[in-house]
Every structure is written in structure tokens, then in C-alpha cells.
Amino acid sequence: MKVAGLGQCSLDNLFIIDSFPKPDTKKEVIDWTTAGGGPVATALVGLSRLGIDCSFYGITGDDEAGKKIADSLKAEDVDIKGLIVRPQSCSQVAFIAVEKGSGRRTIFWKRPSAAPLKPEEVPGDFLDNTDFLLIDGLMTAASFHAVRKAREQNIPVMLDAGSMREGMIELAGLCDYVVASEEFGRELFGNSGTFDAEAAVRHMCSFGARASTITLGDRGSITIAGDEVFRTPAFRVKVVDTTGAGDVFHGGYIFGLLKKWDIKDVVRFASAFAALKCRQLGGRAGIPTLRETEDFLSAHV
Amino acid sequence: MKVAGLGQCSLDNLFIIDSFPKPDTKKEVIDWTTAGGGPVATALVGLSRLGIDCSFYGITGDDEAGKKIADSLKAEDVDIKGLIVRPQSCSQVAFIAVEKGSGRRTIFWKRPSAAPLKPEEVPGDFLDNTDFLLIDGLMTAASFHAVRKAREQNIPVMLDAGSMREGMIELAGLCDYVVASEEFGRELFGNSGTFDAEAAVRHMCSFGARASTITLGDRGSITIAGDEVFRTPAFRVKVVDTTGAGDVFHGGYIFGLLKKWDIKDVVRFASAFAALKCRQLGGRAGIPTLRETEDFLSAHV
């Protein structure tokens, strides 16, 4: 089975501190690492660890970060023939301060100077022999192009809706699955008042997807599929870092869909897959194997 | 002329933000860079740009940061034959958030796992043909060893006193010049009460150095030489980043001493040299040439 993903990729520098310091002070770092990141890129790494063939479509600059981003995908057997390196441009990078124990993070991120992927840069055959497409909507024109191609070929599409942007609702209307962050859910109602996750996910249902889910961090997730709304609790693990947990959730979700599991089993698997990721610093180091995830699920029936 | 330096070196990742974010939020970075750092290492880079031969003695791990630290010194013609690479160890790294406009910085720093330089790792001939030694006291045993060797050979020594540590006062007593941070000055009196820079520098005089200076950031510096105490104002420049300004001040100070200038001219030169550094992000990119510093001083008589 094969999954194509089109979206953002970045290089994350992550460091653990015992507490967030006051401005203009010094704080000793307990541990640090560098890791590839980006919603679609990390989801594909998750799928690749589960044995799925993956191809990534996106952009980097021609800087050291870009080289590391490419290497981080190659090392996980993600096909990067569709990763375009823009000359004289900078890749997206992030500096992420992770608070020990709480999992709270302060994220300093630098937008890439490299221009977004253009529709004409997506190869005509990019969906050949492909069973699923994942997009994050961050490169609008290319995302619409890719989704329309997938619809022509009856390939199911998931939108990873991280935050509200121009075109996001229209894009969601073209997708079979919309798996959104709590931030996106809140922004659906203009970020006002108390957040009603069920109202948000019911509203998302109106976009037309077969299933929609909002992830709620350690409060689990809420899903609507057909007429049914259900909550899935988060699994308790010793959290080192939640970076990439949402991305890995998307990877696990797609895996379950490819296996044609019942939607509740799909979300439960995604939830375990994402929880296990949190045991290590960085978006990818902690991503478990299929066996580890199955063992964990068996132990938590 | 030749200067030897023994001390810490690090790799800094610096990023500019418009304001310090609240914990657990996202903040877009305006610009970022990677640069070599460390008090002695950066001072030597400054001296090298002024045309002085420099040799650095210190340690890194055998990681990517260590390689970049070494390259950053080689690129500036600093001799690194005395830089020891420890196997299976990590170099010192820092992540520095610089607030645009204010020059305020929050510094996240990771201690190296590589063990400090040992006295027996300092080559017997390390002071041959050397006119000056700079130490930062961060590797205590090797620092004492180096200073004693310098005294035997009548080579003047400067201590860059960044913060109070065990042995620092005793080490200062062996040095010809002690150029300290405000933090060190405050710690002399146990960090209590209002900071009286003049009292601090007079106290430092009792250690026995020919001249002692406390740097006070944009409030300039205060120096005691013989019986005379004098203040030197800071030059006004458009500050992008003050990282490394103190280190560069030490480099300029040593340059003036090597030229046998009057102590007031020495400090004034160091002050201009350090001010000009602040025009660029990172500890080293902004370090000026001799010509630039002279032109700047001529324009600010």
C-alpha cells in the first residue's frame, strides 16, 4: 500500500528545560536534539515505520536545514523525488523549548523563504498506484490541485487542519477525512467563548467528509462519522515531548483506514500510536513500530 | 604578535523575535543564524581580525556542533592545534532568543558532556613565542596550570571573569588583568543590595592585578589601574544583538595592551570594538576590522 503526502516540512531544534525562564535570563538545558518535522512529513515517517510506502511532495531551501530535512525523510524510507529544493532559499526551522514534566512548549519558528510548491511542480503521475493522499493545506494552490487529482482517481484524501487559513474550509469540503487540531476547532467559531468540541466536530461534519476528528491533546479526541459522535480518551504515558504527536496521530489514523478497520478502532490505534511517540524528545524519535503499538493496545484493553 | 587563549567554546543558535512569548505559545522568528561562541574563543576571533596570531586551547565533543566550532575558528585563522575533540561527547551549545530593539536575550545553554581540558593536555610549548594569555577560568585545573606557566615565562595574563566560581578569586590573584562582567562584580558582594560598581572594582584591585575592569553593558565600563578609577562610556550604535560583546571587548582590550597604549585608550578601543560587534546577529559576524574601529573612534572623538 502507498500513501502520498503534500505539505510542509521543517527542521526542529528541541531542548528540554525544567521551567520557562524569565526574559533576559539564562537557563540551563537538560537535553537537546535536532529532528525533522512538519505535519505531513512526520505523518509519513509514522506510516513508513508501519510498513507503508510513502512519497512526500514539498519544498525546502538549499541550506543545511534543507539537506537535513531531506536526509531525515530518506533515512525513514520516505520517497522524496517530489521534494523540490529551491536555490538561494531558506527552509523552515523551529526552536522548541519543552518544559520537563508538563509537556508545555514554546515554539520559535522561522517561515521558509523558499516559495510554496506550485501545482505545475506536482508530477502528473504522482498518484499512480497510490491508495491515500494526506495534505495539510499549508501550500494552498498545490493542495487544491492535488486534492482534485485525487478525487478524479477516487483516491481518498485526509486534510490535516492545523489552523484556519484562507481556503481551508473549501479544501475540507473536498476531503474524505478532516482531522483537525483543537486550535482549528476553536477558530471555526472565531475563537470566542467556551470551546464546545462536540459542536465544533458537528459543524465540521457539514463540510461533507466521511469522518471528522478533533484532537484534544491529553483529553483525547472527538470524532463524527455518519450520525455518530464519539470520544476516544488519550492513553497515559510518561510524556517527554508532545512535538509531532498530532502528526503521528494522522499517520496512525490513515493506517487504520487503509486496513479498513472500524472507525473507532482507527481512532484508538491513532491515539496509541501518538501517545507512544511522546516518550522521546523530538517529533519522530519516539514513533513506535506496529508491534509496539499492538502490544501497547493489547495491554490497555 | 601572538596571543594564546584557554577556555570555553560553544555553538550558538541565535534567533530574533519581536518580543518574548508567553510559555506554551508560538512565536514567529524574524531572522536566525548559527555562530561560534565562548568567551575566549570569540575574543581570539576578534584579535585575529585585528591581525594578531591566535592559538586556542579547549575542548569540544565529537559531534556536529564540535565540528562547526572548530571550523568557525579555522575560518578566522585561529590556530586550533590545542583544541581537543573528545570521543562520544557533546559540545556546548546554546539557543539564544534575541528581542528586537531592546537587545534583551534569553539564553538556553547546554553544558558540554565532554570533560574539561586537563593540565596534562596543555602542550609544554604552548606559550612559546607568545605575548599574552587569555583565560576564562571555566576549566579550573587547566586554567591554573596555564597561568602558572605564563608567570614563569613573564607572559601577561588576562582573566575574563564572567561569573563567580570556585577558585576564581585565587585565579584572579595570579593574573595581570581582570576584566569582569557586571554579574561577577555583583557576586563579589554576594549579589546583595544596590550594586556599587566602583566599590566592586576597588575590591577587585586588591586581588593584585595591574588593572581591573568591570563591563556594564550600555552603561560602559569602570576600570581601576594603579590608584586611578575611571569610567568609559559605551558607544551608541544600532544594536541588533549584544551576544559576544563582552568577549570582543576582551579581545580589543588585549590588542591595546599589546600596542602598549595608555590604559584609557585601551579601554576606549575595546569599547568601540565591542560596540561595533553589536550591529549584527551572533557573537562574531559584526566584529569590525582595525580600520573600521579606528574610523569609528575618529568619528567619535
Side-chain angles (χ1 to χ4, degrees):
Chain A
M1 279 187 290
K2 194 179 149 201
V3 174
L6 186 153
Q8 201 186 53
C9 54
S10 73
L11 189 71
D12 296 344
N13 298 278
L14 308 107
F15 44 96
I16 300 184
I17 47 179
D18 63 359
S19 63
F20 290 110
K22 285 188 192 144
D24 216 20
T25 62
K26 290 183 186 179
K27 170 61 77 177
E28 187 167 347
V29 164
I30 298 164
D31 192 14
W32 79 280
T33 193
T34 298
V40 168
T42 295
L44 294 189
V45 168
L47 280 160
S48 185
R49 288 208 190 162
L50 295 172
I52 305 295
D53 290 335
C54 294
S55 302
F56 179 71
Y57 297 84
I59 56 100
T60 67
D62 59 347
D63 50 2
E64 188 185 321
K67 189 169 179 323
K68 286 185 175 175
I69 290 167
D71 288 346
S72 75
L73 291 167
K74 268 194 287 188
E76 298 281 352
D77 288 326
V78 174
D79 185 315
I80 54 166
K81 282 200 292 289
L83 177 61
I84 290 177
V85 180
R86 301 241 185 265
Q88 277 103 53
S89 321
C90 297
S91 305
Q92 176 154 330
V93 297
F95 302 94
I96 304 178
V98 179
E99 192 180 52
K100 192 174 176 174
S102 77
R104 295 197 305 165
R105 294 176 303 152
T106 302
I107 301 174
F108 302 91
W109 67 282
K110 175 73 179 72
R111 199 181 287 275
S113 72
L117 197 67
K118 294 171 194 154
E120 59 268 31
E121 289 176 319
V122 180
D125 63 354
F126 89 109
L127 290 176
D128 283 6
N129 307 312
T130 295
D131 301 285
F132 206 98
L133 172 66
L134 171 64
I135 57 163
D136 60 17
L138 291 168
M139 302 191 288
T140 316
S143 295
F144 273 103
H145 171 79
V147 173
R148 286 186 184 120
K149 285 277 171 197
R151 288 180 69 91
E152 281 169 26
Q153 298 177 52
N154 289 314
I155 295 167
V157 184
M158 178 185 288
L159 172 65
D160 176 344
S163 63
M164 190 57 75
R165 290 155 183 275
E166 208 186 314
M168 211 67 166
I169 301 291
E170 195 185 341
L171 201 56
L174 298 171
C175 292
D176 303 275
Y177 301 92
V178 180
V179 179
S181 68
E182 182 170 346
E183 182 184 335
F184 181 87
R186 288 179 184 273
E187 286 167 336
L188 277 177
F189 302 123
N191 233 330
S192 59
T194 319
F195 176 56
D196 180 342
E198 186 170 333
V201 85
R202 282 189 187 281
H203 180 69
M204 278 168 65
C205 181
S206 70
F207 304 155
R210 287 188 230 171
S212 299
T213 297
I214 299 176
T215 58
L216 302 164
D218 61 4
R219 288 172 291 122
S221 63
I222 185 162
T223 300
I224 187 162
D227 290 336
E228 195 187 5
V229 173
F230 64 91
R231 286 181 180 264
T232 307
F235 291 96
R236 301 289 153 208
V237 292
K238 196 165 160 32
V239 171
V240 172
D241 177 23
T242 60
T243 302
D247 314 334
V248 172
F249 185 92
H250 289 81
Y253 202 120
I254 291 170
F255 183 78
L257 292 173
L258 290 173
K259 295 288 178 190
K260 305 198 180 306
W261 293 340
D262 178 81
I263 186 70
K264 286 188 184 173
D265 293 331
V266 166
V267 179
R268 189 163 176 271
F269 180 86
S271 192
F273 197 49
L276 290 169
K277 184 245 84 81
C278 298
R279 301 163 303 170
Q280 287 188 50
L281 182 63
R284 298 179 184 169
I287 299 174
T289 61
L290 178 55
R291 179 67 183 274
E292 280 180 281
T293 315
E294 286 172 342
D295 288 352
F296 181 83
L297 281 167
S298 302
H300 288 81
V301 174
Chain B
M1 280 188 291
K2 195 179 148 199
V3 175
L6 187 153
Q8 200 187 53
C9 54
S10 73
L11 189 71
D12 297 343
N13 297 278
L14 308 107
F15 43 96
I16 300 183
I17 46 178
D18 63 359
S19 63
F20 290 111
K22 284 190 193 142
D24 216 20
T25 62
K26 291 184 185 179
K27 169 61 76 175
E28 188 168 344
V29 163
I30 298 164
D31 192 15
W32 78 281
T33 193
T34 298
V40 168
T42 296
L44 294 188
V45 168
L47 279 160
S48 185
R49 288 207 190 162
L50 295 172
I52 305 295
D53 290 336
C54 294
S55 301
F56 179 72
Y57 297 83
I59 56 99
T60 67
D62 60 346
D63 50 0
E64 188 185 321
K67 191 169 178 324
K68 286 186 176 176
I69 289 166
D71 288 346
S72 76
L73 291 167
K74 268 195 285 188
E76 298 281 351
D77 288 324
V78 174
D79 185 317
I80 54 166
K81 283 199 291 289
L83 178 62
I84 290 177
V85 180
R86 300 240 186 267
Q88 277 103 53
S89 320
C90 298
S91 306
Q92 176 155 331
V93 296
F95 302 94
I96 305 177
V98 179
E99 191 180 53
K100 192 175 177 175
S102 77
R104 295 196 306 163
R105 294 176 305 153
T106 302
I107 301 173
F108 303 91
W109 68 281
K110 175 73 180 71
R111 200 181 287 277
S113 73
L117 197 66
K118 295 171 196 155
E120 60 269 30
E121 289 176 319
V122 181
D125 62 353
F126 90 110
L127 289 175
D128 283 6
N129 307 311
T130 296
D131 302 286
F132 208 98
L133 173 66
L134 172 65
I135 57 163
D136 60 16
L138 292 169
M139 302 191 289
T140 315
S143 294
F144 272 103
H145 172 78
V147 171
R148 287 185 183 121
K149 285 276 171 199
R151 288 180 69 92
E152 281 169 26
Q153 299 177 51
N154 288 313
I155 294 166
V157 184
M158 177 184 287
L159 172 64
D160 176 344
S163 62
M164 190 59 72
R165 291 157 181 276
E166 209 186 315
M168 211 67 166
I169 301 290
E170 195 186 341
L171 201 56
L174 298 171
C175 292
D176 303 277
Y177 301 92
V178 180
V179 179
S181 68
E182 182 170 344
E183 182 183 335
F184 182 86
R186 287 178 184 275
E187 286 167 335
L188 277 178
F189 301 122
N191 233 331
S192 62
T194 319
F195 176 56
D196 181 341
E198 188 171 331
V201 84
R202 282 190 187 280
H203 180 69
M204 280 167 64
C205 181
S206 70
F207 304 155
R210 287 189 229 171
S212 298
T213 297
I214 299 175
T215 57
L216 302 164
D218 61 5
R219 289 171 291 120
S221 62
I222 185 162
T223 301
I224 186 161
D227 291 336
E228 194 187 8
V229 174
F230 63 92
R231 286 182 181 264
T232 307
F235 291 96
R236 300 290 154 208
V237 292
K238 196 165 160 28
V239 170
V240 172
D241 177 23
T242 60
T243 302
D247 314 333
V248 172
F249 185 92
H250 288 80
Y253 202 121
I254 292 170
F255 183 78
L257 292 172
L258 291 173
K259 295 288 178 190
K260 304 196 182 304
W261 294 341
D262 177 83
I263 186 71
K264 287 189 183 172
D265 292 331
V266 166
V267 179
R268 190 164 177 269
F269 180 86
S271 191
F273 196 50
L276 289 169
K277 184 246 82 83
C278 299
R279 300 163 304 171
Q280 287 188 49
L281 182 63
R284 298 180 184 168
I287 299 175
T289 61
L290 179 55
R291 179 66 182 273
E292 279 180 282
T293 315
E294 287 173 339
D295 288 351
F296 181 81
L297 282 166
S298 302
H300 289 80
V301 176

